[in-house]
Amino acid sequence: MSQLIPAPLLTPLAPPAWSHCAHGNNPQDPVGCPGIRVPGHTECLAHLTDADRGAYLTSLAPGSDIDHRGTTFTPLLLTELLNAVRDSAIGHPRFGYAGFSAAIFEGDADFTAAIFENEAEFRSATFKSRAFFVSATFGSDTTFRSAAFERRAQFGSTTFRLGVDFGSATFEHGAGFVAAAFEGYATFGSAVFQGATSLSSATFKLGASFRFATFERGVDFRLATFEDDAMFNAATFVRGVDFGSAAFEGDADFESATFERAAILGPLVCAGWVNLSGAVFGSPVSLWFAARNLACRRTRWSSTAEIRLRYTRVDIAHAVFEYPLTIAAERDPFLLPNGQQMAETLIATDPDASVRMTSLRGVDAAHLVLSDVDLSECHFTGTVHLDQVRLEGACSFATVPSGRHWRCGLPVWFTQRRTLAEEHHWRARQPVAVPGWNAAPSGAGRAGPLQLAPVYRALRKAFEDGKHEPGAADFYYGEMEMRRHADDIPRSERSLLTAYWAMSGYGLRASRALGWLAAAMLATVVLMMGFGLPQDDPKQRATGTMPASGGRVTFEIDKPDPENPTRNRFTGKRLEKAVRVTLNSVVFRSSGQDLTTAGTYVEMTSRLTEPVLLGLAILAIRNRVKR
């Protein structure tokens, strides 16, 4: 038996919230015309009789409040309405309150130079042809939320005195906001721009939001000025985006934005943060920023990228890049296409235009190139393949405290070397830390010697691969320091490292080794003069017996044992002999000088220790001059 399947039920359109015209309603369309009724009538403006329409329009004057929500405007009807409120003194339409929510404009909607003195509502309005608001003035809050522009919309030189809302609006052929002035907060959240869009030279005084907006074609923000924060969170730029010479006086927030084909972002200037955390770049891109701060945490680059910066503190913790990423400091202001330098008045008061890295944690540095950047504040722990990072140009690191300091009542000097910011933080936490070690900022990790030793080792290898041996020596010193203070090594090994550090600074401090050598030689000279040299050099004696009948005489040649000195030990002659013995010991040679038993042991000891100290001094000098 066949089963009857009921036809699908048609869901009628919901009636509008206002008393509407309902012209043309029928069972299939019970709502009919959604246009709001003209006061005193039961029809909307589009369905009034000619006589009633004429009477209504005649009653209007410049500055009148109008409410034509849901009304369908033909080009002729819109022209009649605009003429009804046109101010003859200025030649432009002038509205009080303007209600056009859900209105439909079937032809060109020409509001050029119109003045909206009070609120203007175009919520969910549909513009089937072109929309012109060029040089219009909106004196109060304005909304175009969910409006649909089926042809290009022009808002060039338009002024919005208070807030304006284009949230969820659709621009099928793009929009032009060239030189528009947004004096209140501007919202473009979730708007869709399907055609090329230009906001060049636009001014946003109280901030702007483009959160979740989609730009399917190119968008132009050249020379735009954002006097407060600008938010592009989760926005999607399918084609190119141009921020050339754009100025952000607050923050520029691009968190989780997607740049599918952007080739160049900038050059722009930002007095606050440029936030690219979580953003995705799908093609090769160059980022040119003169900004105080740049955050690229968890940012993903799917192709090669170049970031050129000025005045900037950079954080790229946990960023992901599959191809080479270059971060470089730009010495001079960025050049614009016309050959002029980009103005940096927002941040030019800063005396230092250097670029300072603050964190590389969680980054795979195998494809990372850093050029002319300051790494004195950078956190390296947690970086992967740090030994493969390329450091080009003048990359600087933190240094140890300078000058003389006192610790436990003793003077302390530090030989200058490159250090990590995290070593500063660790040493500043120690109870006997001397002044000059920088304390960790709030919220920073607490890395210790166990975590820092591999970091120093990786950076040492990176410097060695770059043929920068003196720099590699500094990081070798840091590695050995961290090993000496780490908790995971045996006490015997720590004692050995301490001795190595004390004698020669791990084979890198020639002055220390030479100092110990001088002290050892002085001790050897003093011991030789006091105990090692005999009172007098023993003379050889020949003893023999001559046979009475003559014949062959046999002599026994003997040399008495050296006698310990008892007087006049410290004389010039004995000093000369002691120095000769000591110098021969330094080069591991025997002087041939007669010595007492004590002197023999002193010479043996000096021949063992002093050549080692000399070798450590030579090694330290070599490590400093080797290239």
Side-chain angles (χ1 to χ4, degrees):
M1 179 181 296
S2 62
Q3 184 177 3
L4 296 178
I5 301 176
L9 297 178
L10 297 176
T11 302
L13 297 175
W18 53 82
S19 297
H20 63 288
C21 174
H23 179 81
N25 62 341
N26 54 62
Q28 286 73 32
D29 182 11
V31 175
C33 175
I36 192 170
R37 296 173 181 177
V38 175
H41 300 274
T42 59
E43 295 86 7
C44 68
L45 183 61
H47 294 111
L48 284 177
T49 63
D50 292 344
D52 290 340
R53 184 185 305 113
Y56 167 74
L57 293 175
T58 301
S59 68
L60 299 178
S64 295
D65 294 340
I66 64 162
D67 187 356
H68 295 294
R69 289 172 288 176
T71 303
T72 299
F73 285 90
T74 61
L76 178 59
L77 180 59
L78 179 59
T79 299
E80 292 176 350
L81 177 62
L82 294 174
N83 289 334
V85 296
R86 192 177 300 276
D87 190 336
S88 59
I90 57 177
H92 304 304
R94 181 162 59 87
F95 297 89
Y97 165 80
F100 291 98
S101 294
I104 299 175
F105 299 90
E106 294 186 339
D108 288 349
D110 192 352
F111 288 89
T112 299
I115 298 174
F116 298 85
E117 296 179 343
N118 295 321
E119 294 181 3
E121 294 188 1
F122 290 84
R123 185 187 303 271
S124 300
T126 300
F127 297 84
K128 292 186 174 294
S129 188
R130 295 173 297 177
F132 295 94
F133 290 87
V134 177
S135 299
T137 300
F138 293 86
S140 187
D141 291 331
T142 305
T143 179
F144 286 86
R145 175 167 286 275
S146 301
F149 297 87
E150 298 182 5
R151 304 292 293 178
R152 188 166 180 82
Q154 296 288 0
F155 289 85
S157 300
T158 301
T159 300
F160 299 91
R161 299 291 186 195
L162 293 179
V164 57
D165 184 0
F166 283 92
S168 301
T170 301
F171 300 85
E172 295 186 13
H173 288 264
F177 290 88
V178 177
F182 299 86
E183 298 181 4
Y185 193 79
T187 299
F188 291 84
S190 300
V192 178
F193 298 85
Q194 297 177 350
T197 300
S198 177
L199 292 98
S200 62
S201 301
T203 302
F204 300 84
K205 290 186 177 296
L206 292 182
S209 174
F210 292 85
R211 299 182 64 199
F212 297 98
T214 301
F215 299 89
E216 297 184 3
R217 300 292 295 273
V219 55
D220 183 2
F221 284 93
R222 285 178 300 169
L223 297 171
T225 301
F226 298 85
E227 298 183 10
D228 207 323
D229 295 343
M231 301 188 348
F232 295 86
N233 309 63
T236 301
F237 300 89
V238 179
R239 298 287 183 89
V241 54
D242 191 348
F243 279 94
S245 295
F248 296 84
E249 297 183 17
D251 297 337
D253 193 347
F254 294 88
E255 184 173 2
S256 300
T258 301
F259 300 85
E260 295 185 7
R261 303 182 190 175
I264 297 178
L265 194 60
L268 60 82
V269 59
C270 179
W273 282 84
V274 176
N275 185 12
L276 290 169
S277 297
V280 177
F281 293 86
S283 63
V285 64
S286 293
L287 310 179
W288 297 349
F289 302 147
R292 286 199 172 95
N293 297 281
L294 172 62
C296 295
R297 302 175 68 90
R298 304 177 308 282
T299 305
R300 177 181 292 273
W301 285 273
S302 298
S303 188
T304 56
E306 176 193 40
I307 306 177
R308 306 198 72 84
L309 304 168
R310 286 173 56 77
Y311 301 99
T312 313
R313 292 168 53 88
V314 188
D315 180 359
I316 64 169
H318 304 286
V320 178
F321 37 94
E322 304 170 11
Y323 296 88
L325 170 66
T326 300
I327 301 177
E330 191 73 11
R331 295 177 180 271
D332 301 313
F334 295 108
L335 290 178
L336 302 176
N338 59 9
Q340 297 182 351
Q341 292 183 337
M342 183 181 70
E344 297 177 342
T345 54
L346 291 180
I347 55 178
T349 55
D350 291 352
D352 186 7
S354 65
V355 176
R356 297 168 295 282
M357 299 293 301
T358 61
S359 181
L360 290 175
R361 288 179 175 172
V363 169
D364 187 340
H367 299 290
L368 180 62
V369 180
L370 303 176
S371 178
D372 297 318
V373 298
D374 184 350
L375 297 167
S376 60
E377 303 175 19
C378 189
H379 293 180
F380 288 96
T381 53
T383 306
V384 181
H385 294 144
L386 185 58
D387 60 316
Q388 299 180 35
V389 67
R390 289 180 55 191
L391 302 175
E392 306 287 348
C395 291
S396 59
F397 288 82
T399 58
V400 297
S402 59
R404 184 179 62 181
H405 304 273
W406 294 90
R407 182 166 60 193
C408 301
L410 298 175
V412 177
W413 291 270
F414 294 97
T415 302
Q416 288 300 304
R417 64 179 174 90
R418 297 171 179 85
T419 61
L420 299 181
E422 290 145 311
E423 182 183 346
H424 271 259
H425 303 162
W426 170 73
R427 289 190 182 273
R429 296 195 302 267
Q430 305 310 304
V432 293
V434 302
W437 295 110
N438 300 322
S442 59
R446 296 176 64 87
L450 191 61
Q451 293 78 31
L452 294 178
V455 177
Y456 272 113
R457 188 179 306 118
L459 286 173
R460 172 176 62 84
K461 184 177 183 302
F463 270 76
E464 288 174 346
D465 292 343
K467 307 303 180 184
H468 193 328
E469 294 296 338
D474 283 345
F475 289 104
Y476 172 73
Y477 191 100
E479 176 191 354
M480 299 299 287
E481 277 287 272
M482 295 302 101
R483 286 181 57 193
R484 184 166 68 92
H485 290 93
D487 298 330
D488 67 331
I489 65 172
R491 185 181 300 273
S492 58
E493 182 179 346
R494 182 180 292 114
S495 300
L496 182 61
L497 289 175
T498 301
Y500 192 23
W501 162 77
M503 286 193 300
S504 65
Y506 309 112
L508 296 173
R509 299 294 181 258
S511 59
R512 192 175 305 179
L514 291 173
W516 280 109
L517 176 60
M521 293 174 66
L522 178 61
T524 301
V525 169
V526 172
L527 290 174
M528 283 294 178
M529 293 177 66
F531 307 100
L533 296 175
Q535 181 67 46
D536 296 301
D537 290 335
K539 302 285 191 298
Q540 289 183 346
R541 292 180 304 176
T543 304
T545 303
M546 181 178 294
S549 59
R552 185 174 181 178
V553 179
T554 301
F555 291 92
E556 291 183 3
I557 299 177
D558 190 16
K559 188 175 185 181
D561 294 333
E563 297 180 2
N564 291 327
T566 57
R567 65 185 184 281
N568 297 329
R569 300 185 183 190
F570 299 96
T571 63
K573 183 177 181 181
R574 292 176 63 83
L575 174 63
E576 187 272 333
K577 292 180 180 180
V579 170
R580 186 169 62 248
V581 171
T582 302
L583 291 177
N584 278 279
S585 296
V586 171
V587 294
F588 204 71
R589 290 180 56 189
S590 176
S591 64
Q593 172 68 44
D594 292 317
L595 302 173
T596 64
T597 302
T600 301
Y601 284 106
V602 169
E603 183 186 38
M604 291 171 58
T605 303
S606 65
R607 289 180 64 187
L608 176 63
T609 58
E610 292 169 6
V612 172
L613 293 172
L614 178 62
L616 290 174
I618 295 174
L619 177 64
I621 295 173
R622 176 183 178 276
N623 287 332
R624 282 300 174 186
V625 301
K626 180 182 177 183
R627 294 290 177 182

